[in-house]
mmCIF file with all atom_site columns, all heavy atoms in Angstrom:
data_model
loop_
_atom_site.group_PDB
_atom_site.id
_atom_site.type_symbol
_atom_site.label_atom_id
_atom_site.label_alt_id
_atom_site.label_comp_id
_atom_site.label_asym_id
_atom_site.label_entity_id
_atom_site.label_seq_id
_atom_site.pdbx_PDB_ins_code
_atom_site.Cartn_x
_atom_site.Cartn_y
_atom_site.Cartn_z
_atom_site.occupancy
_atom_site.B_iso_or_equiv
_atom_site.pdbx_formal_charge
_atom_site.auth_seq_id
_atom_site.auth_comp_id
_atom_site.auth_asym_id
_atom_site.auth_atom_id
_atom_site.pdbx_PDB_model_num
ATOM 1   N N   . TYR A 1 12  ? 93.121  104.884 41.498 1.00 84.00 ? 39  TYR A N   1
ATOM 2   C CA  . TYR A 1 12  ? 93.315  105.886 40.446 1.00 84.00 ? 39  TYR A CA  1
ATOM 3   C C   . TYR A 1 12  ? 91.962  106.455 39.999 1.00 84.00 ? 39  TYR A C   1
ATOM 4   O O   . TYR A 1 12  ? 91.783  107.665 39.898 1.00 84.00 ? 39  TYR A O   1
ATOM 5   C CB  . TYR A 1 12  ? 94.063  105.257 39.271 1.00 84.00 ? 39  TYR A CB  1
ATOM 6   C CG  . TYR A 1 12  ? 94.151  106.123 38.049 1.00 84.00 ? 39  TYR A CG  1
ATOM 7   C CD1 . TYR A 1 12  ? 95.079  107.158 37.963 1.00 84.00 ? 39  TYR A CD1 1
ATOM 8   C CD2 . TYR A 1 12  ? 93.292  105.918 36.964 1.00 84.00 ? 39  TYR A CD2 1
ATOM 9   C CE1 . TYR A 1 12  ? 95.152  107.970 36.838 1.00 84.00 ? 39  TYR A CE1 1
ATOM 10  C CE2 . TYR A 1 12  ? 93.365  106.719 35.835 1.00 84.00 ? 39  TYR A CE2 1
ATOM 11  C CZ  . TYR A 1 12  ? 94.295  107.738 35.775 1.00 84.00 ? 39  TYR A CZ  1
ATOM 12  O OH  . TYR A 1 12  ? 94.363  108.535 34.661 1.00 84.00 ? 39  TYR A OH  1
ATOM 13  N N   . SER A 1 32  ? 78.063  130.619 37.847 1.00 96.00 ? 59  SER A N   1
ATOM 14  C CA  . SER A 1 32  ? 76.923  131.242 38.529 1.00 96.00 ? 59  SER A CA  1
ATOM 15  C C   . SER A 1 32  ? 77.199  132.706 38.869 1.00 96.00 ? 59  SER A C   1
ATOM 16  O O   . SER A 1 32  ? 76.267  133.475 39.074 1.00 96.00 ? 59  SER A O   1
ATOM 17  C CB  . SER A 1 32  ? 76.557  130.456 39.793 1.00 96.00 ? 59  SER A CB  1
ATOM 18  O OG  . SER A 1 32  ? 77.525  130.644 40.798 1.00 96.00 ? 59  SER A OG  1
ATOM 19  N N   . LEU A 1 53  ? 98.633  108.412 28.014 1.00 65.00 ? 80  LEU A N   1
ATOM 20  C CA  . LEU A 1 53  ? 99.862  108.856 28.686 1.00 65.00 ? 80  LEU A CA  1
ATOM 21  C C   . LEU A 1 53  ? 100.206 108.064 29.944 1.00 65.00 ? 80  LEU A C   1
ATOM 22  O O   . LEU A 1 53  ? 101.246 108.301 30.540 1.00 65.00 ? 80  LEU A O   1
ATOM 23  C CB  . LEU A 1 53  ? 99.758  110.339 29.052 1.00 65.00 ? 80  LEU A CB  1
ATOM 24  C CG  . LEU A 1 53  ? 99.724  111.318 27.890 1.00 65.00 ? 80  LEU A CG  1
ATOM 25  C CD1 . LEU A 1 53  ? 99.666  112.743 28.413 1.00 65.00 ? 80  LEU A CD1 1
ATOM 26  C CD2 . LEU A 1 53  ? 100.922 111.136 26.980 1.00 65.00 ? 80  LEU A CD2 1
ATOM 27  N N   . ALA A 1 61  ? 104.777 114.540 27.326 1.00 65.00 ? 88  ALA A N   1
ATOM 28  C CA  . ALA A 1 61  ? 103.754 113.994 28.221 1.00 65.00 ? 88  ALA A CA  1
ATOM 29  C C   . ALA A 1 61  ? 103.756 114.763 29.545 1.00 65.00 ? 88  ALA A C   1
ATOM 30  O O   . ALA A 1 61  ? 102.698 115.098 30.089 1.00 65.00 ? 88  ALA A O   1
ATOM 31  C CB  . ALA A 1 61  ? 104.007 112.512 28.472 1.00 65.00 ? 88  ALA A CB  1
ATOM 32  N N   . ASP A 1 97  ? 103.340 120.178 46.780 1.00 94.00 ? 124 ASP A N   1
ATOM 33  C CA  . ASP A 1 97  ? 102.214 119.583 46.059 1.00 94.00 ? 124 ASP A CA  1
ATOM 34  C C   . ASP A 1 97  ? 102.126 120.066 44.612 1.00 94.00 ? 124 ASP A C   1
ATOM 35  O O   . ASP A 1 97  ? 101.393 119.492 43.805 1.00 94.00 ? 124 ASP A O   1
ATOM 36  C CB  . ASP A 1 97  ? 100.895 119.900 46.771 1.00 94.00 ? 124 ASP A CB  1
ATOM 37  C CG  . ASP A 1 97  ? 100.838 119.305 48.164 1.00 94.00 ? 124 ASP A CG  1
ATOM 38  O OD1 . ASP A 1 97  ? 101.273 118.147 48.323 1.00 94.00 ? 124 ASP A OD1 1
ATOM 39  O OD2 . ASP A 1 97  ? 100.373 119.999 49.083 1.00 94.00 ? 124 ASP A OD2 1
ATOM 40  N N   . ASN A 1 106 ? 101.731 132.123 36.666 1.00 94.00 ? 133 ASN A N   1
ATOM 41  C CA  . ASN A 1 106 ? 100.663 133.099 36.887 1.00 94.00 ? 133 ASN A CA  1
ATOM 42  C C   . ASN A 1 106 ? 99.332  132.414 37.226 1.00 94.00 ? 133 ASN A C   1
ATOM 43  O O   . ASN A 1 106 ? 98.294  133.057 37.229 1.00 94.00 ? 133 ASN A O   1
ATOM 44  C CB  . ASN A 1 106 ? 100.506 133.997 35.660 1.00 94.00 ? 133 ASN A CB  1
ATOM 45  C CG  . ASN A 1 106 ? 100.352 133.189 34.382 1.00 94.00 ? 133 ASN A CG  1
ATOM 46  O OD1 . ASN A 1 106 ? 100.494 131.968 34.367 1.00 94.00 ? 133 ASN A OD1 1
ATOM 47  N ND2 . ASN A 1 106 ? 100.069 133.866 33.292 1.00 94.00 ? 133 ASN A ND2 1
ATOM 48  N N   . TYR A 1 108 ? 96.398  130.352 39.434 1.00 97.00 ? 135 TYR A N   1
ATOM 49  C CA  . TYR A 1 108 ? 95.782  130.309 40.757 1.00 97.00 ? 135 TYR A CA  1
ATOM 50  C C   . TYR A 1 108 ? 95.460  128.851 41.061 1.00 97.00 ? 135 TYR A C   1
ATOM 51  O O   . TYR A 1 108 ? 94.967  128.131 40.190 1.00 97.00 ? 135 TYR A O   1
ATOM 52  C CB  . TYR A 1 108 ? 94.476  131.114 40.771 1.00 97.00 ? 135 TYR A CB  1
ATOM 53  C CG  . TYR A 1 108 ? 94.699  132.595 40.678 1.00 97.00 ? 135 TYR A CG  1
ATOM 54  C CD1 . TYR A 1 108 ? 94.985  133.207 39.459 1.00 97.00 ? 135 TYR A CD1 1
ATOM 55  C CD2 . TYR A 1 108 ? 94.633  133.391 41.811 1.00 97.00 ? 135 TYR A CD2 1
ATOM 56  C CE1 . TYR A 1 108 ? 95.198  134.571 39.377 1.00 97.00 ? 135 TYR A CE1 1
ATOM 57  C CE2 . TYR A 1 108 ? 94.838  134.764 41.735 1.00 97.00 ? 135 TYR A CE2 1
ATOM 58  C CZ  . TYR A 1 108 ? 95.125  135.339 40.516 1.00 97.00 ? 135 TYR A CZ  1
ATOM 59  O OH  . TYR A 1 108 ? 95.334  136.690 40.442 1.00 97.00 ? 135 TYR A OH  1
ATOM 60  N N   . ILE A 1 110 ? 93.059  126.595 43.219 1.00 97.00 ? 137 ILE A N   1
ATOM 61  C CA  . ILE A 1 110 ? 91.848  126.610 44.032 1.00 97.00 ? 137 ILE A CA  1
ATOM 62  C C   . ILE A 1 110 ? 91.750  125.245 44.697 1.00 97.00 ? 137 ILE A C   1
ATOM 63  O O   . ILE A 1 110 ? 91.716  124.217 44.017 1.00 97.00 ? 137 ILE A O   1
ATOM 64  C CB  . ILE A 1 110 ? 90.596  126.917 43.190 1.00 97.00 ? 137 ILE A CB  1
ATOM 65  C CG1 . ILE A 1 110 ? 90.718  128.315 42.581 1.00 97.00 ? 137 ILE A CG1 1
ATOM 66  C CG2 . ILE A 1 110 ? 89.340  126.801 44.058 1.00 97.00 ? 137 ILE A CG2 1
ATOM 67  C CD1 . ILE A 1 110 ? 89.555  128.730 41.716 1.00 97.00 ? 137 ILE A CD1 1
ATOM 68  N N   . LYS A 1 114 ? 86.796  119.435 52.437 1.00 90.00 ? 141 LYS A N   1
ATOM 69  C CA  . LYS A 1 114 ? 85.487  119.041 52.958 1.00 90.00 ? 141 LYS A CA  1
ATOM 70  C C   . LYS A 1 114 ? 84.681  120.225 53.475 1.00 90.00 ? 141 LYS A C   1
ATOM 71  O O   . LYS A 1 114 ? 83.463  120.156 53.543 1.00 90.00 ? 141 LYS A O   1
ATOM 72  C CB  . LYS A 1 114 ? 85.661  118.023 54.084 1.00 90.00 ? 141 LYS A CB  1
ATOM 73  C CG  . LYS A 1 114 ? 86.208  116.707 53.623 1.00 90.00 ? 141 LYS A CG  1
ATOM 74  C CD  . LYS A 1 114 ? 86.336  115.764 54.803 1.00 90.00 ? 141 LYS A CD  1
ATOM 75  C CE  . LYS A 1 114 ? 86.880  114.433 54.344 1.00 90.00 ? 141 LYS A CE  1
ATOM 76  N NZ  . LYS A 1 114 ? 86.782  113.417 55.388 1.00 90.00 ? 141 LYS A NZ  1
ATOM 77  N N   . GLU A 1 124 ? 102.681 132.998 45.478 1.00 96.00 ? 151 GLU A N   1
ATOM 78  C CA  . GLU A 1 124 ? 102.520 132.903 46.932 1.00 96.00 ? 151 GLU A CA  1
ATOM 79  C C   . GLU A 1 124 ? 103.101 131.597 47.462 1.00 96.00 ? 151 GLU A C   1
ATOM 80  O O   . GLU A 1 124 ? 103.756 131.576 48.513 1.00 96.00 ? 151 GLU A O   1
ATOM 81  C CB  . GLU A 1 124 ? 101.038 133.049 47.317 1.00 96.00 ? 151 GLU A CB  1
ATOM 82  C CG  . GLU A 1 124 ? 100.525 134.464 47.131 1.00 96.00 ? 151 GLU A CG  1
ATOM 83  C CD  . GLU A 1 124 ? 99.010  134.586 47.193 1.00 96.00 ? 151 GLU A CD  1
ATOM 84  O OE1 . GLU A 1 124 ? 98.290  133.556 47.155 1.00 96.00 ? 151 GLU A OE1 1
ATOM 85  O OE2 . GLU A 1 124 ? 98.530  135.730 47.247 1.00 96.00 ? 151 GLU A OE2 1
ATOM 86  N N   . LYS A 1 129 ? 104.150 130.626 51.305 1.00 96.00 ? 156 LYS A N   1
ATOM 87  C CA  . LYS A 1 129 ? 102.788 130.588 51.843 1.00 96.00 ? 156 LYS A CA  1
ATOM 88  C C   . LYS A 1 129 ? 102.170 129.234 51.490 1.00 96.00 ? 156 LYS A C   1
ATOM 89  O O   . LYS A 1 129 ? 102.623 128.551 50.573 1.00 96.00 ? 156 LYS A O   1
ATOM 90  C CB  . LYS A 1 129 ? 101.959 131.729 51.270 1.00 96.00 ? 156 LYS A CB  1
ATOM 91  C CG  . LYS A 1 129 ? 102.443 133.094 51.716 1.00 96.00 ? 156 LYS A CG  1
ATOM 92  C CD  . LYS A 1 129 ? 101.520 134.198 51.226 1.00 96.00 ? 156 LYS A CD  1
ATOM 93  C CE  . LYS A 1 129 ? 101.959 135.531 51.770 1.00 96.00 ? 156 LYS A CE  1
ATOM 94  N NZ  . LYS A 1 129 ? 102.684 136.328 50.800 1.00 96.00 ? 156 LYS A NZ  1
ATOM 95  N N   . GLU A 1 130 ? 101.119 128.854 52.203 1.00 96.00 ? 157 GLU A N   1
ATOM 96  C CA  . GLU A 1 130 ? 100.457 127.580 51.934 1.00 96.00 ? 157 GLU A CA  1
ATOM 97  C C   . GLU A 1 130 ? 99.009  127.641 52.388 1.00 96.00 ? 157 GLU A C   1
ATOM 98  O O   . GLU A 1 130 ? 98.602  128.571 53.077 1.00 96.00 ? 157 GLU A O   1
ATOM 99  C CB  . GLU A 1 130 ? 101.193 126.435 52.626 1.00 96.00 ? 157 GLU A CB  1
ATOM 100 C CG  . GLU A 1 130 ? 101.481 126.665 54.089 1.00 96.00 ? 157 GLU A CG  1
ATOM 101 C CD  . GLU A 1 130 ? 102.422 125.635 54.691 1.00 96.00 ? 157 GLU A CD  1
ATOM 102 O OE1 . GLU A 1 130 ? 103.413 125.257 54.053 1.00 96.00 ? 157 GLU A OE1 1
ATOM 103 O OE2 . GLU A 1 130 ? 102.141 125.201 55.823 1.00 96.00 ? 157 GLU A OE2 1
ATOM 104 N N   . SER A 1 141 ? 87.994  135.975 49.587 1.00 93.00 ? 168 SER A N   1
ATOM 105 C CA  . SER A 1 141 ? 88.865  137.087 49.987 1.00 93.00 ? 168 SER A CA  1
ATOM 106 C C   . SER A 1 141 ? 89.733  137.599 48.837 1.00 93.00 ? 168 SER A C   1
ATOM 107 O O   . SER A 1 141 ? 90.414  138.613 48.999 1.00 93.00 ? 168 SER A O   1
ATOM 108 C CB  . SER A 1 141 ? 89.787  136.639 51.127 1.00 93.00 ? 168 SER A CB  1
ATOM 109 O OG  . SER A 1 141 ? 89.019  136.213 52.218 1.00 93.00 ? 168 SER A OG  1
#
Side-chain angles (χ1 to χ4, degrees):
Y39 172 79
S59 72
L80 293 182
D124 297 318
N133 52 353
Y135 289 79
I137 297 179
K141 293 180 180 191
E151 289 167 348
K156 294 185 176 102
E157 50 190 42
S168 301

